[in-house]
Amino acid sequence: MIVTSAATLAVAGTVVWTVSSSSSTATTASATKAGPGKVHARALGDIATAAAAGQKVKGLPAAATDPFSLVGVTWNKPREELKGTVRLRTRDAKTGRWSGWRALEPELADAPDQGGRGGTNGLWVGPSNGVDVRVTGQKGRTLPDGLRVDLVDPGASAAAPTPRAAGEGRTGMKLVAATTPLAGTVTAPKPAIVPRSGWGADESLVKAPPDYDTSVKAAFVHHTDTGNGYSCTESPSVIRSVFLYHVQSQGWNDIGYNFLVDKCGTIFEGRAGGTDRPVHGAHTYGFNTDTTGIAVLGTYTAADDPSTPGVAPTKAALDGTAKIAAWKLGLTGVDPTAKTTLTSAAPNGTGGKYPYGQQVEFNTISGHRDGFATACPGAQLYSALPTVRTAAKQLTVPALEATVTGATAAGGRYYTKSTATLNWTPAEGATYTVSVDGATAATPAAGATSATVTLAPGTHSVQLHAAFSDGTTSASPVFTVVADTTRPVISSQALSLRKGTVNSGAWPVTLSWKASDNGLLSSLKATSPAAKTFSTTTTSWAAVSKPGTTQTWTLAAADAAGNTGTSSLSRYTGGQTEGAARRTGTWGLSTTKYYLGGRGLYSKYRGASASWTFTGRTAGLIFKRASYLGAVYVYVDGVKIGTLDTRASTTAYRQLLWTRTWSSSGTHTIKIVVAGTSGRPMVGIDGLVYLR
C-alpha cells in the first residue's frame, strides 16, 4: 500500500500525475495525448516484503490501469544509478492473464549529454491494462527519488508505413551524394526510409529544434531492449512508444536514436532534423557529437542471459543496419570498415566510460558498448557487427568526381546566364549521363570528358551519373547552378552635400544608392566622375564634387552570372559668396587666405542677418569655427528651423556646418540671424553652396 500525503508529479512539463493518500494506488489525474498515444504514470511507494534486512523495496501492487503497450520505470536524476533490480509483470488486455515476472535494466547510456530523467529500458508488452512492479535496492543502498512506473499507450496503429526511397515516386534506390563535396572517397546508395510521419511522430511534443554537428564520423549500433514480442506491422507502434518514453517519461527533446531498424529490415527516421544532415542525437553518452545512432528494435542479449534472454538479429535487420550505416557514413566519405578517433565529452564523475577529453579510437561502425559501459546492443547483435561492416563496405562505391566550368562559383553555388559544363575523367567501359533536377539532360558519347547543359532561368540541381561495366553505379555531388538573365538594379541614387571642409576645387558630397540583384551581386563600382570600387553591400560614397561644373555620377554593378546594370545622374555644383548675401545689421569684412576667395564676413550684433536665394535640391552653409564664436538662427523659406552653434575647441575655416536636402530641385531662400550668444556673440560666414 502506498502511504503518502497528496503530492503532484510533473513530467516533461506537460503530463501530470496525482498520488492520493486515500488510495492504495496512484491514480491518473490527466494525461497529455502524444500524437495518437499517451503516457500514464504511477508513483511507486514503500512495500513490505520478506526481503533480507537492509534491502529497500518500492513498488506498485497489482493494479488495473489505463491501456498501455510499453512500460518502464523512471526516477528524478538522469545520471543517478539505480543499485538494485527492477521487476514487473503485466496483465494482457485481451485475455486478462498476468505475465511472468520480467526484469528491466537501468539505462544510463541511452541519454542526452545533459538533462532529462533517469530510467530503465522501455519494455514492449503489447496491449495491457494492469501492472505489478517491484524495485529492490541492494543491501544498504538507497533507491533513487521520484520512482514511478511509466505506462505508454502508443494509440491505434498507423497504416502500414511505406518506406520512402531516394527519389520521390520511384522504385528501388538511387545513388545520392552530399550536397557539398565529399570529405572522403566513398559513397553508398540511399536506402528506403520511413519518415517520421510514417510511424506517427507527434511533432508538437518535440521540445526544441534539432542541433547539428559538423560531420558524421561513426555510427553506433544499439538495440532498443524493448523485447522481441512485436510483429513488423507493430513497428510504428513500438517506435511511437519509444518516442513517448524518451520525450514524456524521460524528458528528452526528441527520440534519442537517429534511425531505427525493425526485424524485417525496414528503416525508420528517428530524431528530427533531416536524414541527410548531421543531427546531434541522444544515444551514446560522451560520444553523441559527430556520430549517428542506429537502433535495432528488440532485445539481442545472449540467449542464456538469466535476466533478459535475447534472440539473434535477423538477416533483414542486419542488412537494414548495413544499408543505413553505409549511406549515412558515405555522405561525408567515411569508409564503413575504417577506424576513427572521437573525443569523450562526458564530464568526469558522471558515468562516462572514458575520462573527459580522452581521445578514443573506434570502428566507424561500432557498438554502443564500445563507447559506454553497457551490454547494449546485446551480445548477439554485437557479435554480428563485423558482418554489418562487411555488408556496408560492399554497398559503397568510389565517389564520382566532377567539376563545373562555364559558371562562376560563389557561396557554394554556381551562377551562369544559361549554360554550365560538367567535366570528368572517364573510366574505361563506363557510361555517363548528366541530370538536371533529377531528369536526364545530357547523354555524352563514350569517352567524352565533358557535357554542357542549357538551363532555364532559376535554381537547378545538376549531377553527373556513371554506370560501370561491373554493374555498379555512382554519382557526383549535387551541384546547385543558378541560371540568371536579369540585370542588377541600382535604384534610389542621390547626391547630397555633407558636412566637412570646403576647398576652392572640392566640395564634400555623399552619393547614395541601393543595389540589388535577383541572384548574387558580385561587383559594384563607380566609373565617373572618378573610379572607385565598393563592396556589394555598400550604399554610399563620401566623395567631393568640383564647383562651377556639371558632373555625371555613374555606378556599375555586375552579378555572379555576368549580367551588368548601370545608373547615372548629373548634378551642377554652384555657390554664392558671403558678399552675395542680402544682409541686415552690421557686418565686418575679414581678409585672410583661409577664407574662400580670401574674404569672409563677421558680426557680433544680435539680429544681424544674411540670406541667399538659389535654385537647387541640396544646400549648405559655410562658417568659420572657433572657441570664441557663437550661434546663429537658421531660417528656410521664411521658417525658423533651429539654432546652429559655430563654437569649436580649435579654430577651423571653410566648414560646411549645416546642410539641407529636398526631394527635387526648387528655388529656396536660406537666412541666418546672429543669436548674440552670451560671452561669444561673434559669428563668421563664408558663403553658401548648392547642387542642382
Side-chain angles (χ1 to χ4, degrees), residues 596-667:
L596 286 174
R599 295 164 56 92
L601 291 177
Y602 63 90
S603 178
K604 63 179 180 180
Y605 297 98
R606 180 183 179 90
S609 70
S611 64
W612 298 264
T613 298
F614 67 96
T615 300
R617 66 184 69 226
T618 179
L621 295 170
I622 308 171
F623 294 89
K624 175 184 175 180
R625 303 194 71 186
S627 60
Y628 56 86
L629 296 178
V632 297
Y633 302 125
V634 180
Y635 293 79
V636 175
D637 296 330
V639 178
K640 182 180 178 181
I641 64 168
T643 302
L644 179 67
D645 197 341
T646 65
R647 183 180 184 179
S649 59
T650 58
T651 300
Y653 292 84
R654 305 184 313 281
Q655 296 302 297
L656 185 56
L657 188 56
W658 176 92
T659 65
R660 180 70 176 267
T661 299
W662 294 266
S663 59
S664 60
S665 184
T667 300

Coordinates of all heavy atoms in Angstrom, one line a residue, residues 596-667:
L596 N 37.4 81.2 -48.2 CA 37.3 81.0 -49.7 C 37.4 82.4 -50.3 O 36.8 83.4 -49.9 CB 35.9 80.4 -50.0 CG 35.7 78.9 -49.7 CD1 34.2 78.6 -49.9 CD2 36.6 78.1 -50.5
G597 N 38.2 82.4 -51.3 CA 38.5 83.7 -52.0 C 39.2 84.7 -51.2 O 39.3 85.9 -51.6
G598 N 39.7 84.3 -50.0 CA 40.5 85.2 -49.2 C 39.6 86.2 -48.4 O 40.2 87.2 -47.9
R599 N 38.3 86.1 -48.4 CA 37.4 87.0 -47.8 C 36.3 86.3 -46.9 O 35.9 85.2 -47.3 CB 36.7 87.9 -48.8 CG 37.6 88.8 -49.6 CD 36.9 89.3 -50.8 NE 35.7 90.0 -50.5 CZ 35.5 91.3 -50.3 NH1 36.6 92.1 -50.3 NH2 34.4 91.9 -50.0
G600 N 35.9 86.9 -45.8 CA 34.9 86.4 -45.0 C 34.2 87.6 -44.3 O 34.7 88.7 -44.2
L601 N 32.9 87.4 -43.8 CA 32.2 88.4 -43.1 C 32.0 87.9 -41.6 O 31.9 86.7 -41.4 CB 30.8 88.6 -43.7 CG 30.8 89.3 -45.1 CD1 29.4 89.4 -45.6 CD2 31.5 90.7 -45.0
Y602 N 32.0 88.9 -40.8 CA 31.7 88.6 -39.4 C 30.8 89.6 -38.7 O 30.7 90.8 -39.2 CB 33.0 88.5 -38.6 CG 33.8 89.8 -38.5 CD1 33.6 90.7 -37.5 CD2 34.7 90.1 -39.5 CE1 34.3 91.9 -37.4 CE2 35.4 91.3 -39.4 CZ 35.2 92.2 -38.4 OH 35.9 93.4 -38.3
S603 N 30.1 89.2 -37.7 CA 29.2 90.1 -37.0 C 29.1 89.6 -35.6 O 29.0 88.4 -35.3 CB 27.8 90.2 -37.6 OG 27.0 91.1 -36.9
K604 N 29.0 90.6 -34.6 CA 28.8 90.3 -33.2 C 27.5 90.9 -32.7 O 27.2 90.9 -31.5 CB 29.9 90.8 -32.4 CG 30.1 92.3 -32.4 CD 31.3 92.7 -31.5 CE 31.5 94.2 -31.5 NZ 32.6 94.6 -30.6
Y605 N 26.7 91.4 -33.7 CA 25.5 92.1 -33.3 C 24.2 91.2 -33.4 O 23.9 90.7 -34.5 CB 25.3 93.4 -34.2 CG 26.5 94.3 -34.0 CD1 27.5 94.4 -34.9 CD2 26.5 95.2 -32.9 CE1 28.6 95.2 -34.7 CE2 27.6 96.1 -32.7 CZ 28.6 96.1 -33.6 OH 29.7 96.9 -33.4
R606 N 23.6 91.1 -32.3 CA 22.4 90.3 -32.2 C 21.3 90.8 -33.3 O 21.1 92.0 -33.3 CB 21.8 90.3 -30.8 CG 20.5 89.5 -30.6 CD 20.0 89.8 -29.2 NE 18.8 89.0 -29.0 CZ 18.7 87.8 -28.5 NH1 19.8 87.1 -28.2 NH2 17.5 87.2 -28.4
G607 N 20.8 89.9 -34.0 CA 19.8 90.3 -35.0 C 20.3 90.6 -36.4 O 19.5 90.7 -37.4
A608 N 21.6 90.7 -36.5 CA 22.2 90.9 -37.9 C 21.9 89.7 -38.7 O 22.0 88.5 -38.2 CB 23.7 91.2 -37.8
S609 N 21.6 89.8 -40.0 CA 21.2 88.7 -40.8 C 21.9 88.7 -42.1 O 22.4 89.7 -42.6 CB 19.7 88.7 -41.0 OG 19.3 89.7 -41.9
A610 N 21.9 87.5 -42.8 CA 22.4 87.3 -44.1 C 21.6 86.2 -44.8 O 21.3 85.2 -44.2 CB 23.9 86.9 -44.1
S611 N 21.2 86.5 -46.0 CA 20.3 85.5 -46.7 C 20.8 85.3 -48.2 O 21.3 86.2 -48.8 CB 18.9 85.9 -46.6 OG 18.6 87.1 -47.4
W612 N 20.5 84.1 -48.7 CA 20.9 83.7 -50.1 C 19.7 83.1 -50.7 O 19.0 82.2 -50.1 CB 22.0 82.8 -50.1 CG 23.3 83.2 -49.6 CD1 24.4 83.8 -50.2 CD2 23.7 83.2 -48.2 NE1 25.4 84.1 -49.4 CE2 25.1 83.7 -48.1 CE3 23.2 82.7 -47.0 CZ2 25.8 83.8 -46.9 CZ3 23.9 82.8 -45.8 CH2 25.2 83.4 -45.8
T613 N 19.4 83.4 -51.9 CA 18.3 82.7 -52.7 C 19.0 82.0 -53.9 O 19.8 82.6 -54.6 CB 17.3 83.8 -53.2 OG1 16.7 84.4 -52.1 CG2 16.2 83.1 -54.1
F614 N 18.6 80.8 -54.1 CA 19.2 79.9 -55.1 C 18.2 78.9 -55.6 O 17.1 78.7 -55.0 CB 20.4 79.1 -54.4 CG 20.0 78.1 -53.4 CD1 19.8 76.8 -53.7 CD2 19.7 78.5 -52.1 CE1 19.3 75.9 -52.8 CE2 19.2 77.6 -51.2 CZ 19.0 76.3 -51.5
T615 N 18.6 78.2 -56.7 CA 17.8 77.1 -57.2 C 18.6 75.8 -57.1 O 19.7 75.8 -57.7 CB 17.4 77.4 -58.7 OG1 16.6 78.6 -58.7 CG2 16.5 76.2 -59.2
G616 N 18.1 74.8 -56.5 CA 18.8 73.6 -56.3 C 18.0 72.6 -55.5 O 16.9 72.8 -55.1
R617 N 18.6 71.4 -55.2 CA 18.0 70.4 -54.4 C 18.7 70.0 -53.1 O 18.2 69.3 -52.3 CB 17.8 69.1 -55.3 CG 19.1 68.4 -55.6 CD 18.9 67.3 -56.6 NE 18.4 67.7 -57.9 CZ 17.4 67.1 -58.5 NH1 16.7 66.1 -58.0 NH2 17.0 67.5 -59.7
T618 N 19.9 70.6 -52.9 CA 20.6 70.5 -51.6 C 21.5 71.7 -51.5 O 22.0 72.2 -52.4 CB 21.4 69.2 -51.6 OG1 22.1 69.1 -50.3 CG2 22.4 69.1 -52.7
A619 N 21.6 72.2 -50.2 CA 22.4 73.4 -50.0 C 23.1 73.3 -48.6 O 22.6 72.5 -47.8 CB 21.5 74.6 -50.0
G620 N 24.1 74.1 -48.4 CA 24.8 74.1 -47.2 C 25.5 75.4 -46.9 O 25.8 76.2 -47.8
L621 N 25.6 75.7 -45.6 CA 26.2 77.0 -45.1 C 27.6 76.8 -44.6 O 27.9 75.8 -44.0 CB 25.4 77.6 -44.0 CG 24.0 78.0 -44.3 CD1 23.2 78.3 -43.1 CD2 24.0 79.2 -45.3
I622 N 28.5 77.7 -45.0 CA 29.9 77.6 -44.7 C 30.3 78.7 -43.6 O 29.9 79.8 -43.7 CB 30.8 77.9 -45.9 CG1 30.4 77.0 -47.1 CG2 32.3 77.6 -45.6 CD1 31.1 77.3 -48.4
F623 N 30.9 78.2 -42.5 CA 31.2 79.0 -41.4 C 32.7 78.9 -41.0 O 33.3 77.9 -41.3 CB 30.4 78.6 -40.1 CG 28.9 78.9 -40.3 CD1 28.1 77.9 -40.8 CD2 28.4 80.1 -39.9 CE1 26.7 78.1 -40.9 CE2 27.0 80.3 -40.0 CZ 26.2 79.3 -40.5
K624 N 33.2 79.9 -40.3 CA 34.4 79.8 -39.5 C 34.0 79.2 -38.1 O 33.0 79.6 -37.6 CB 35.1 81.1 -39.4 CG 36.4 81.1 -38.5 CD 36.9 82.5 -38.3 CE 38.1 82.4 -37.3 NZ 38.7 83.8 -37.1
R625 N 34.8 78.3 -37.5 CA 34.6 77.8 -36.2 C 35.7 78.1 -35.3 O 36.9 78.0 -35.7 CB 34.3 76.3 -36.3 CG 33.2 75.9 -37.2 CD 32.8 74.4 -37.0 NE 32.1 74.3 -35.7 CZ 31.7 73.1 -35.1 NH1 32.0 72.0 -35.8 NH2 31.1 73.1 -34.0
A626 N 35.4 78.5 -34.1 CA 36.5 78.7 -33.1 C 35.8 78.7 -31.7 O 34.6 78.8 -31.6 CB 37.1 80.1 -33.3
S627 N 36.6 78.8 -30.7 CA 36.1 78.7 -29.3 C 35.4 79.9 -28.9 O 34.5 79.9 -27.9 CB 37.3 78.4 -28.3 OG 38.2 79.5 -28.4
Y628 N 35.7 81.1 -29.5 CA 35.0 82.3 -29.1 C 33.8 82.7 -30.0 O 33.3 83.8 -29.8 CB 36.1 83.5 -29.2 CG 36.7 83.6 -30.6 CD1 36.1 84.4 -31.6 CD2 37.9 83.0 -30.8 CE1 36.7 84.5 -32.8 CE2 38.5 83.1 -32.1 CZ 37.9 83.9 -33.0 OH 38.5 84.0 -34.3
L629 N 33.5 81.8 -30.9 CA 32.4 82.1 -31.8 C 31.1 81.6 -31.3 O 31.0 80.6 -30.6 CB 32.6 81.6 -33.2 CG 33.9 82.2 -33.9 CD1 34.1 81.5 -35.3 CD2 33.7 83.7 -34.1
G630 N 29.9 82.2 -31.7 CA 28.7 81.8 -31.1 C 27.7 81.2 -32.1 O 28.1 80.6 -33.1
A631 N 26.4 81.4 -31.8 CA 25.3 80.7 -32.6 C 24.6 81.6 -33.5 O 24.6 82.8 -33.3 CB 24.4 80.0 -31.6
V632 N 23.9 81.0 -34.5 CA 23.0 81.7 -35.4 C 21.7 80.9 -35.4 O 21.6 79.7 -35.2 CB 23.6 81.8 -36.8 CG1 24.9 82.6 -36.8 CG2 23.8 80.4 -37.4
Y633 N 20.6 81.7 -35.7 CA 19.3 81.0 -36.0 C 19.3 80.8 -37.5 O 19.7 81.7 -38.3 CB 18.2 81.9 -35.6 CG 18.2 82.3 -34.1 CD1 18.2 83.6 -33.7 CD2 18.3 81.3 -33.1 CE1 18.2 84.0 -32.4 CE2 18.3 81.6 -31.8 CZ 18.3 83.0 -31.4 OH 18.4 83.3 -30.1
V634 N 18.7 79.6 -37.9 CA 18.6 79.3 -39.3 C 17.2 79.3 -39.7 O 16.3 78.6 -39.1 CB 19.3 77.9 -39.6 CG1 19.2 77.6 -41.1 CG2 20.7 77.9 -39.2
Y635 N 16.9 80.0 -40.9 CA 15.5 80.0 -41.5 C 15.6 79.4 -42.9 O 16.6 79.7 -43.6 CB 15.0 81.5 -41.5 CG 14.8 82.1 -40.2 CD1 15.9 82.6 -39.4 CD2 13.5 82.2 -39.7 CE1 15.6 83.2 -38.2 CE2 13.3 82.8 -38.4 CZ 14.4 83.3 -37.7 OH 14.1 83.9 -36.5
V636 N 14.6 78.6 -43.2 CA 14.5 78.1 -44.6 C 13.1 78.5 -45.1 O 12.1 78.2 -44.5 CB 14.6 76.6 -44.6 CG1 14.4 76.0 -46.0 CG2 16.0 76.1 -44.1
D637 N 13.2 79.3 -46.2 CA 12.0 79.8 -46.8 C 11.1 80.5 -45.8 O 9.8 80.3 -45.8 CB 11.2 78.7 -47.6 CG 12.1 78.1 -48.7 OD1 12.9 78.8 -49.3 OD2 11.9 76.9 -49.0
G638 N 11.7 81.3 -45.0 CA 10.9 82.1 -44.0 C 10.5 81.4 -42.7 O 10.0 82.0 -41.9
V639 N 10.9 80.1 -42.6 CA 10.5 79.3 -41.4 C 11.8 79.0 -40.6 O 12.8 78.5 -41.1 CB 9.8 78.0 -41.8 CG1 9.5 77.2 -40.5 CG2 8.5 78.3 -42.5
K640 N 11.7 79.4 -39.3 CA 12.9 79.1 -38.4 C 12.9 77.6 -38.2 O 12.0 77.0 -37.7 CB 12.8 79.9 -37.1 CG 13.9 79.6 -36.2 CD 13.7 80.4 -34.9 CE 14.9 80.1 -33.9 NZ 14.7 80.9 -32.6
I641 N 14.1 77.0 -38.5 CA 14.2 75.5 -38.3 C 15.1 75.1 -37.1 O 15.2 74.0 -36.8 CB 14.6 74.8 -39.6 CG1 16.1 75.3 -39.9 CG2 13.7 75.1 -40.7 CD1 16.7 74.4 -41.0
G642 N 15.8 76.1 -36.6 CA 16.7 75.7 -35.4 C 17.8 76.7 -35.2 O 17.9 77.7 -35.8
T643 N 18.6 76.3 -34.2 CA 19.8 77.1 -33.8 C 21.1 76.3 -34.1 O 21.1 75.1 -33.8 CB 19.7 77.5 -32.3 OG1 18.5 78.2 -32.1 CG2 20.9 78.3 -31.9
L644 N 22.1 77.0 -34.7 CA 23.3 76.3 -35.0 C 24.4 77.0 -34.3 O 24.7 78.2 -34.5 CB 23.5 76.4 -36.5 CG 24.8 75.8 -37.1 CD1 24.8 74.3 -36.9 CD2 25.0 76.1 -38.5
D645 N 25.2 76.3 -33.4 CA 26.3 76.8 -32.7 C 27.6 76.6 -33.5 O 27.9 75.5 -33.9 CB 26.4 76.2 -31.3 CG 27.2 77.0 -30.3 OD1 28.0 77.8 -30.8 OD2 27.1 76.7 -29.1
T646 N 28.4 77.7 -33.7 CA 29.6 77.5 -34.5 C 30.8 77.4 -33.6 O 32.0 77.4 -34.1 CB 29.8 78.7 -35.4 OG1 30.0 79.9 -34.7 CG2 28.6 78.9 -36.3
R647 N 30.6 77.2 -32.3 CA 31.8 77.1 -31.4 C 32.5 75.8 -31.7 O 31.9 74.8 -32.0 CB 31.3 77.2 -30.0 CG 32.4 77.1 -28.9 CD 31.8 77.2 -27.5 NE 32.8 77.2 -26.5 CZ 32.6 77.3 -25.2 NH1 31.3 77.4 -24.8 NH2 33.6 77.3 -24.4
A648 N 33.8 75.8 -31.5 CA 34.6 74.6 -31.6 C 35.9 74.8 -30.8 O 36.3 75.9 -30.5 CB 35.0 74.3 -33.1
S649 N 36.5 73.7 -30.3 CA 37.6 73.8 -29.4 C 38.9 74.3 -30.2 O 39.8 74.9 -29.6 CB 37.9 72.4 -28.8 OG 38.2 71.5 -29.8
T650 N 38.9 74.1 -31.5 CA 40.1 74.6 -32.3 C 39.5 75.4 -33.4 O 38.4 75.2 -33.9 CB 40.9 73.4 -32.8 OG1 40.1 72.6 -33.6 CG2 41.5 72.6 -31.7
T651 N 40.3 76.3 -33.9 CA 39.9 77.2 -35.0 C 39.9 76.5 -36.3 O 40.9 75.8 -36.6 CB 40.8 78.5 -35.0 OG1 40.6 79.1 -33.8 CG2 40.3 79.4 -36.2
A652 N 38.9 76.6 -37.1 CA 38.8 75.9 -38.4 C 38.0 76.8 -39.4 O 36.9 77.3 -39.0 CB 38.2 74.6 -38.3
Y653 N 38.5 77.0 -40.6 CA 37.9 77.8 -41.6 C 37.2 76.9 -42.6 O 37.4 75.7 -42.7 CB 38.9 78.7 -42.3 CG 39.5 79.8 -41.5 CD1 40.6 79.6 -40.7 CD2 39.0 81.1 -41.5 CE1 41.1 80.6 -39.9 CE2 39.5 82.1 -40.8 CZ 40.6 81.8 -39.9 OH 41.1 82.8 -39.2
R654 N 36.3 77.5 -43.4 CA 35.6 76.9 -44.6 C 34.9 75.6 -44.1 O 35.0 74.5 -44.8 CB 36.7 76.5 -45.7 CG 37.4 77.8 -46.1 CD 38.4 77.4 -47.3 NE 39.2 76.2 -47.1 CZ 40.3 76.2 -46.4 NH1 40.7 77.2 -45.7 NH2 40.9 75.0 -46.2
Q655 N 34.2 75.6 -43.0 CA 33.5 74.5 -42.5 C 32.0 74.4 -43.0 O 31.2 75.3 -42.7 CB 33.5 74.4 -41.0 CG 34.9 74.3 -40.4 CD 35.6 73.0 -40.9 OE1 35.1 71.9 -40.7 NE2 36.7 73.2 -41.6
L656 N 31.7 73.4 -43.8 CA 30.3 73.2 -44.2 C 29.6 72.6 -43.0 O 29.7 71.4 -42.8 CB 30.3 72.3 -45.5 CG 28.9 72.1 -46.1 CD1 28.3 73.4 -46.5 CD2 29.1 71.2 -47.4
L657 N 29.0 73.4 -42.3 CA 28.5 73.0 -40.9 C 27.0 72.6 -40.9 O 26.6 71.9 -40.0 CB 28.7 74.2 -40.0 CG 28.5 73.9 -38.5 CD1 29.4 72.7 -38.0 CD2 28.9 75.2 -37.7
W658 N 26.3 73.1 -41.9 CA 24.8 72.8 -41.9 C 24.4 72.5 -43.4 O 24.9 73.2 -44.3 CB 24.1 74.0 -41.4 CG 22.6 73.9 -41.5 CD1 21.7 73.4 -40.6 CD2 21.7 74.3 -42.6 NE1 20.4 73.4 -41.0 CE2 20.4 74.0 -42.3 CE3 22.0 74.8 -43.9 CZ2 19.3 74.2 -43.1 CZ3 20.9 75.1 -44.7 CH2 19.6 74.8 -44.4
T659 N 23.6 71.5 -43.6 CA 23.1 71.2 -44.9 C 21.6 70.9 -44.9 O 21.0 70.5 -43.8 CB 23.8 69.9 -45.5 OG1 23.5 68.8 -44.7 CG2 25.3 70.1 -45.6
R660 N 21.0 71.0 -46.0 CA 19.5 70.7 -46.2 C 19.3 70.1 -47.5 O 19.9 70.6 -48.5 CB 18.7 72.0 -45.9 CG 17.2 71.8 -46.1 CD 16.6 70.9 -44.9 NE 15.2 70.8 -44.9 CZ 14.3 71.7 -44.3 NH1 14.8 72.7 -43.6 NH2 13.0 71.5 -44.4
T661 N 18.5 69.1 -47.7 CA 18.2 68.4 -49.0 C 16.7 68.3 -49.2 O 16.0 68.0 -48.3 CB 18.9 67.0 -49.0 OG1 20.3 67.1 -48.8 CG2 18.6 66.3 -50.3
W662 N 16.3 68.6 -50.5 CA 14.9 68.5 -50.9 C 14.8 67.3 -51.9 O 15.7 66.9 -52.5 CB 14.4 69.8 -51.5 CG 14.4 70.9 -50.5 CD1 13.3 71.3 -49.8 CD2 15.5 71.8 -50.2 NE1 13.6 72.4 -49.0 CE2 14.9 72.7 -49.3 CE3 16.8 71.9 -50.6 CZ2 15.7 73.8 -48.7 CZ3 17.6 72.9 -50.1 CH2 17.0 73.8 -49.1
S663 N 13.6 66.8 -52.0 CA 13.3 65.7 -52.9 C 13.5 66.1 -54.4 O 13.8 65.2 -55.2 CB 11.9 65.1 -52.7 OG 10.9 66.1 -52.9
S664 N 13.4 67.3 -54.7 CA 13.5 67.8 -56.1 C 14.1 69.2 -56.1 O 14.1 69.9 -55.1 CB 12.2 67.7 -56.9 OG 11.3 68.6 -56.3
S665 N 14.6 69.6 -57.3 CA 15.2 70.9 -57.4 C 14.1 72.0 -57.3 O 13.0 71.9 -57.8 CB 16.0 71.0 -58.7 OG 16.6 72.3 -58.7
G666 N 14.4 73.1 -56.6 CA 13.5 74.3 -56.5 C 14.2 75.5 -56.0 O 15.4 75.5 -55.7
T667 N 13.5 76.6 -56.0 CA 14.1 77.9 -55.6 C 13.8 78.1 -54.1 O 12.6 77.9 -53.6 CB 13.5 79.0 -56.3 OG1 13.8 78.9 -57.7 CG2 14.1 80.4 -55.9

